[in-house]
Amino acid sequence: MTTSLTKSDFSRRGFLKGGAGLAFFLGAGGLSAVAVRAQNAEPLDVNPWLTISPSGTISIVFPSTEMGQSSYSTLPQILAEELDANWDDVVIAQLNEDDRTFGNPLFGGVLYTAGSTSVQGYYEPMRRAGAQARDVLLQIASRQLEVRKDSLRTEPSAVVAEDGTRLSYGALAASGTEDVQIPDADAIALKDPQDFRIIGQEVPRRDVPAKSTGKARYAIDVEIDNMAYAAVLRTPVEGETPRSVDDAEARAVAGVIDVVTLPDGVAVVAESLWAALGARDLVQVTWSDSSPARAFDSNATLAAYAEAARDPQAEAAVWAQTGDAASAIAKADRTVSHLYLSDYAYHAQIEPMAAVATVDPDGMGAEVWAGTQTQSWTTHTVMETLGTTQDRIRLNMMTMGGSFGRRTAFVQDYVRDAVLSSKAVGRPVKVIWTREDDVKHGTFRPAAAQKLEAGLTAHGRLTGWHHRVATPSVIGFFNPGRWEAVKPNDVISMRGAESKFYGIKDFQADHIITERQARLAPYRGIGAAYTSFAAEAFMDELAAEAGRDPLDFRLDLVEENPRGRHLLEKVAEMSGWRARGDRALGLSFAGYSSSMAAGVAEIEVDDDTGEIAVTQIWAAVDAGRIVSPDNAHNQIEGGIIFGISSALTERIDIEEGQVLQSNFFDYEILRADRVPQIDIYMATVEAPPTGVGEVGTPMASAAIANAFFAAKGQRLRHMPFTPDRVRDALQSELRLDL
Amino acid sequence: MTQFTLNGQSVEIDNPSDELLLLVIRDKLGLKGTKYGCGAAMCGACTVHVDGRPEFSCQLSVGDVAGAEVTTIEGLSEDGTHPLQKAWVDQQVPQCGYCQSGQIMRAAALLAENPNPSRTEIAEYMSANLCRCGTYNRIFKAVEQAAQEV
């Protein structure tokens, strides 16, 4: 039940004789025109959100891309709800071009699937689009039946009159739009949520059967006639270029078609991936050796960031500020200050980078199959690579085998390499990265050093909070043009440091924008993946210093956030917090964007090995209205597991500009035998949806660190909490005992 | 020329005998349900059955399976209604879905060996396969559901 929709397809359909059906054309401001596609219809150069065919099939555009988050199902459900469609009549049309008509309202109209924004951003416009279409159907029925519009009602995919006459949406779509008035998008009445039939219901995901039978197709699976395969030998250090290439041996391998020099690598193109990989090992490249990146060393980087975080004079951009933190801390009864560190982390999506391109014979156009988080920047990448115009690019946005921020860059090198390789050999080419390619040439969550300082009153209450984050600008690397527009505010680097779910009267968070010493990218949870670790671990330290229960200490700070207070109380109830005795429980309260999560972790520590076992997580989440509850549960649980994994094992090291890790044996992600039981409560609230894809992640690491303190009386201030670091912390416990 | 049985059908292929079974299945024989994830026996996305045993097809050459019976996700059931596949749909397990062919093949091998595994046994057995989306708890539930039916 999937269709693909591009502008050219639709224009072509516009000429079809007798193919009458309703098309709703929505501009940025909503429904702007409506027409019957009939014998003499003009070709149409707008891209409709929905079409209803005379057979009753309702096609709804999916403007985002799918990487497992299921907005592929969820977004069309929103429109279908207000249209009052029978969900079984709906087919989903992947948007396959950079048509800003459908741009993400939360990314300035760029087609960008990131930041848990799809449901949040498209909820209102897609509801209004559905409601407008429903109103038009009512008008047509009113004319047909010669009754007043307000005497009619809708049932799924049908208009029903008072006398019981039913007109299906398909029949109405075929009956002409004469005298139809387009209702105003802003004024149109939306459904009372009590009447929802789709939103908030258990609607199964559309893609699950294909994903349970091996039938789902990802970019890595695309196969087209005459296609060749390419493996790319990439520069070992960022910023270097191939100076000379000795490819004689590689070219002698059976099946090798060509060896193509790329700006930062060498592609071996062959009849099979096996031949390409084998020949790649035989290519001898002399690389340039002048890149400053050769000096990148992750230990030195983190030490430098820590020094910057400790230095009160270090230049910083204010990220968030309320009142006067410095004065409040200066006047406090006691002050507390700690430093928190976190290493680079890798996305580890299970599908490695892959793309297929077939460049047109004139070299000025291409069809591309790729999984990316943005139609806009993929289009841009192909345009720049070929020096061509947008109309020459045909995209096929493939469902992704995970992404988590991996495929967000402004320039997508794997897409570029497929295009350049295809252009060179005059055939379609599929580029596949190996896992080692993906780790060694990954783009990472930045390393960070964070200094937190706060004051306590004589009564053990918080007064004044200063959070300094020493980390580079992520946006400055993965989208430099964007950085010019937004600097010095980098939401990717800093999200979470605003601690906005608490009402802290005198508050400041600063970004010490350090030098970038690795390739960087957005990563599930973005800044909150580490800023919330530091903030919530520190909050626990403050509570201990104040001699107060960590729950009570936090409850002081949510007086003006009743929804947040509810989550803290709920998770305390779920976990038996008040009666925890000597159980090793840790509390954390964080979130993502406007979604909030309170979590409690229970852990066990193996003193000999230093292994932490997380045995149970309880989470209470408020993400506004939940459009698709079962999927939301799955996303939140996945986000928590991502957070646990990142807290326990995930670490990228760099020496002499090269990544030391190479595969899942030295970059470990959480396996089934380390997965805790997870109990999730989702608050029912009358509020717009705010996203579920990342809300589970930020609170997890501090919950574990705080549980470790409950268990062992020591603090873990460097993420991940690898066995060596845990043993070090336990050693300091022994020293205290002495 | 290497002969083996793939999903019940005899196949003969002339790829180099040291070529990875994974690539032969995907690119020569065109069955794309078996996935490449790591090439290092670390993620399990490539899991197939060889004479009934779960194997990483990224660790076998096609010569290794000469004469053997190989089953991929496409051959687990004729119409996608193996009890595990039905349970995967009932429990709405997949997110990105990329690892799930391998998970289901691993789970099928588990149930063949141990028709009534405990939660701990499931978790240990399934630890050969990674899921970055974090669907593990749903996988456990789906395996338990299927075990009731098998």
Side-chain angles (χ1 to χ4, degrees):
Chain A
M1 293 286 274
T2 304
T3 61
S4 284
L5 194 71
T6 63
K7 198 178 282 185
S8 55
D9 282 348
F10 192 70
S11 300
R12 203 157 53 239
R13 285 208 307 267
F15 285 113
L16 292 178
K17 297 192 175 192
L22 262 191
F24 296 89
F25 309 133
L26 283 119
L31 191 61
S32 58
V34 59
V36 174
R37 281 193 269 127
Q39 199 159 347
N40 298 318
E42 291 294 306
L44 307 165
D45 62 356
V46 283
N47 215 334
W49 276 103
L50 71 153
T51 58
I52 303 175
S53 76
S55 69
T57 300
I58 300 163
S59 175
I60 300 176
V61 171
F62 169 52
S64 301
T65 57
E66 178 62 39
M67 59 192 121
Q69 84 281 27
S70 191
S71 52
Y72 166 81
S73 285
T74 312
L75 292 186
Q77 284 169 25
I78 295 166
L79 193 154
E81 176 68 71
E82 290 291 343
L83 177 64
D84 219 2
N86 180 339
W87 180 242
D88 292 338
D89 294 338
V90 172
V91 297
I92 301 165
Q94 171 71 55
L95 181 70
N96 277 324
E97 64 180 320
D98 182 14
D99 182 344
R100 305 289 172 96
T101 306
F102 303 105
N104 186 334
L106 298 178
F107 281 108
V110 174
L111 287 151
Y112 209 74
T113 308
S116 303
T117 58
S118 287
V119 168
Q120 186 180 7
Y122 287 108
Y123 185 70
E124 189 74 14
M126 289 187 83
R127 282 184 80 187
R128 293 191 176 280
Q132 283 180 311
R134 176 178 172 274
D135 186 89
V136 167
L137 291 161
L138 286 168
Q139 290 182 51
I140 297 170
S142 156
R143 188 198 63 204
Q144 294 272 100
L145 298 173
E146 298 182 334
V147 298
R148 287 172 31 167
K149 190 179 85 173
D150 61 13
S151 72
L152 300 168
R153 62 190 173 84
T154 54
E155 289 183 356
S157 290
V159 175
V160 182
E162 281 175 329
D163 65 2
T165 307
R166 290 175 66 90
L167 292 172
S168 73
Y169 283 2
L172 291 167
S175 39
T177 55
E178 201 181 328
D179 298 332
V180 164
Q181 304 289 314
I182 306 305
D184 178 55
D186 296 329
I188 195 150
L190 299 175
K191 273 190 181 177
D192 184 325
Q194 290 189 344
D195 298 329
F196 283 168
R197 307 181 205 260
I198 298 173
I199 291 175
Q201 307 303 308
E202 299 297 348
V203 179
R205 286 175 63 144
R206 280 289 174 87
D207 52 359
V208 162
K211 288 175 173 176
S212 303
T213 50
K215 290 182 180 144
R217 287 291 169 267
Y218 304 80
I220 202 168
D221 300 324
V222 169
E223 200 164 291
I224 51 181
D225 285 349
N226 200 32
M227 186 179 79
Y229 298 79
V232 179
L233 183 63
R234 311 190 69 80
T235 167
V237 175
E238 178 200 332
E240 305 293 15
T241 56
R243 271 210 189 125
S244 68
V245 179
D246 177 355
D247 57 13
E249 272 190 83
R251 285 180 183 274
V253 171
V256 169
I257 299 163
D258 201 355
V259 177
V260 182
T261 301
L262 303 170
D264 52 8
V266 177
V268 178
V269 187
E271 298 292 349
S272 70
L273 182 58
W274 183 243
L277 288 169
R280 181 174 72 158
D281 288 343
L282 303 174
V283 176
Q284 304 288 327
V285 180
T286 305
W287 303 98
S288 63
D289 57 6
S290 57
S291 169
R294 289 196 179 267
F296 290 176
D297 179 294
S298 50
N299 283 330
T301 298
L302 197 56
Y305 291 3
E307 192 178 336
R310 281 196 200 95
D311 177 5
Q313 307 304 319
E315 191 187 342
V318 175
W319 168 249
Q321 188 173 28
T322 312
D324 185 344
S327 298
I329 293 169
K331 287 184 213 148
D333 182 66
R334 276 170 291 166
T335 62
V336 181
S337 176
H338 289 293
L339 184 76
Y340 299 85
L341 304 175
S342 50
D343 296 313
Y344 294 113
Y346 161 64
H347 300 90
Q349 80 294 344
I350 308 289
E351 182 193 17
M353 309 308 247
V356 176
T358 180
V359 174
D360 297 343
D362 69 353
M364 294 300 286
E367 181 160 12
V368 170
W369 292 258
T372 85
Q373 294 179 234
T374 161
Q375 293 95 330
S376 295
W377 300 155
T378 303
T379 301
H380 167 84
T381 295
V382 181
M383 282 169 60
E384 288 289 307
T385 303
L386 293 177
T388 193
T389 48
Q390 191 179 337
D391 59 308
R392 292 296 307 276
I393 295 159
R394 289 96 64 202
L395 286 187
N396 300 273
M397 304 305 292
M398 306 301 293
T399 196
M400 287 168 266
S403 199
F404 316 108
R406 183 71 178 95
R407 299 170 171 100
T408 50
F410 189 61
V411 177
Q412 296 164 355
D413 42 13
Y414 58 110
V415 173
R416 180 204 64 188
D417 293 350
V419 170
L420 289 174
S421 299
S422 170
K423 189 178 174 187
V425 302
R427 286 172 60 175
V429 174
K430 182 195 287 185
V431 165
I432 294 179
W433 289 27
T434 64
R435 178 60 50 189
E436 287 80 6
D437 292 338
D438 203 59
V439 176
K440 296 282 183 197
H441 307 285
T443 52
F444 306 117
R445 188 190 74 194
Q450 302 175 69
K451 178 81 180 292
L452 280 121
E453 185 175 25
L456 292 170
T457 68
H459 301 291
R461 286 171 171 261
L462 178 67
T463 175
W465 174 283
H466 194 186
H467 187 167
R468 286 163 69 81
V469 183
T471 198
S473 164
V474 176
I475 297 175
F477 176 70
F478 91 111
N479 193 344
R482 179 75 185 149
W483 180 233
E484 288 307 312
V486 301
K487 73 181 178 187
N489 296 311
D490 192 325
V491 67
I492 308 290
S493 299
M494 288 298 290
R495 172 161 278 171
E498 64 279 1
S499 291
K500 70 176 183 181
F501 306 123
Y502 293 125
I504 301 175
K505 197 160 65 74
D506 295 297
F507 179 94
Q508 186 162 335
D510 296 333
H511 186 185
I512 303 167
I513 303 172
T514 52
E515 193 186 331
R516 178 187 72 80
Q517 294 179 336
R519 288 176 299 263
L520 307 175
Y523 184 89
R524 195 173 196 171
I526 55 174
Y530 45 90
T531 62
S532 295
F533 157 58
E536 281 300 290
F538 184 59
M539 192 67 82
D540 208 70
E541 302 211 36
L542 288 171
E545 187 68 32
R548 312 232 353 248
D549 186 282
L551 175 63
D552 293 329
F553 192 78
R554 286 174 173 83
L555 288 173
D556 288 351
L557 304 174
V558 290
E559 282 170 4
E560 289 166 20
N561 177 5
R563 287 164 62 182
R565 182 181 182 92
H566 171 65
L567 299 180
L568 280 163
E569 288 170 342
K570 185 72 186 178
V571 84
E573 176 197 316
M574 292 162 72
S575 61
W577 177 266
R578 293 289 187 195
R580 65 191 181 280
D582 57 3
R583 290 162 67 203
L585 298 189
L587 174 66
S588 179
F589 176 52
Y592 185 91
S593 184
S594 296
S595 295
M596 297 179 279
V600 170
E602 182 160 20
I603 69 166
E604 289 170 4
V605 182
D606 184 321
D607 291 358
D608 297 326
T609 63
E611 294 271 353
I612 293 175
V614 180
T615 56
Q616 172 101 36
I617 296 274
W618 297 265
V621 176
D622 182 335
R625 180 172 305 286
I626 300 295
V627 174
S628 200
D630 186 63
N631 179 59
H633 183 281
N634 205 353
Q635 297 301 317
I636 293 165
E637 180 158 335
I640 291 169
I641 287 174
F642 202 97
I644 296 169
S645 183
S646 137
L648 294 184
T649 59
E650 296 188 35
R651 167 182 181 171
I652 286 288
D653 298 293
I654 297 169
E655 282 180 13
E656 297 182 348
Q658 302 195 38
V659 173
L660 298 189
Q661 287 76 13
S662 59
N663 205 317
F664 292 126
F665 48 78
D666 53 8
Y667 190 91
E668 293 181 66
I669 64 174
L670 204 72
R671 290 182 181 275
D673 58 353
R674 296 187 75 182
V675 169
Q677 188 171 328
I678 298 176
D679 288 350
I680 294 167
Y681 160 83
M682 291 186 282
T684 304
V685 291
E686 287 299 324
T690 49
V692 296
E694 289 161 279
V695 63
T697 304
M699 60 80 175
S701 49
I704 296 167
N706 298 341
F708 184 81
F709 177 74
K712 298 293 172 186
Q714 292 299 317
R715 296 292 179 181
L716 295 171
R717 299 195 187 101
H718 190 165
M719 183 166 75
F721 317 133
T722 50
D724 56 324
R725 289 174 184 160
V726 169
R727 286 196 303 271
D728 282 350
L730 293 171
Q731 290 300 317
S732 42
E733 177 186 39
L734 291 178
R735 280 198 295 276
L736 281 183
D737 289 345
L738 292 173
Chain B
M1 193 71 77
T2 308
Q3 184 278 329
F4 60 98
T5 303
L6 180 66
N7 298 331
Q9 307 236 318
S10 177
V11 292
E12 287 194 2
I13 54 119
D14 55 5
N15 292 51
S17 66
D18 65 340
E19 182 163 346
L20 288 188
L21 177 61
L22 169 65
L23 297 187
V24 171
I25 289 171
R26 286 177 51 79
D27 296 337
K28 175 79 174 183
L29 300 167
L31 298 183
K32 304 293 192 189
T34 306
K35 301 301 186 193
Y36 168 76
C38 72
M42 296 304 296
C43 81
C46 68
T47 303
V48 299
H49 296 174
V50 177
D51 293 334
R53 295 184 317 274
E55 298 283 358
F56 300 107
S57 63
C58 74
Q59 297 298 300
L60 295 172
S61 67
V62 67
D64 291 336
V65 299
E69 284 195 28
V70 177
T71 308
T72 68
I73 184 74
E74 290 88 352
L76 187 64
S77 64
E78 283 196 5
D79 51 1
T81 55
H82 185 281
L84 280 164
Q85 291 171 312
K86 285 195 288 183
W88 245 246
V89 174
D90 287 349
Q91 299 293 336
Q92 293 280 293
V93 173
Q95 290 186 27
C96 88
Y98 193 78
C99 73
Q100 299 294 350
S101 295
Q103 304 279 4
I104 289 171
M105 294 309 285
R106 179 80 46 193
L110 166 63
L111 294 184
E113 286 176 29
N114 179 358
N116 196 13
S118 67
R119 178 65 70 102
T120 306
E121 287 170 333
I122 296 170
E124 282 177 8
Y125 199 92
M126 298 304 295
S127 288
N129 290 45
L130 293 173
C131 173
R132 184 53 156 170
C133 298
T135 65
Y136 296 116
N137 280 319
R138 288 186 182 225
I139 289 173
F140 302 158
K141 284 183 201 151
V143 174
E144 285 165 351
Q145 178 188 325
Q148 302 285 314
E149 286 186 45
V150 170

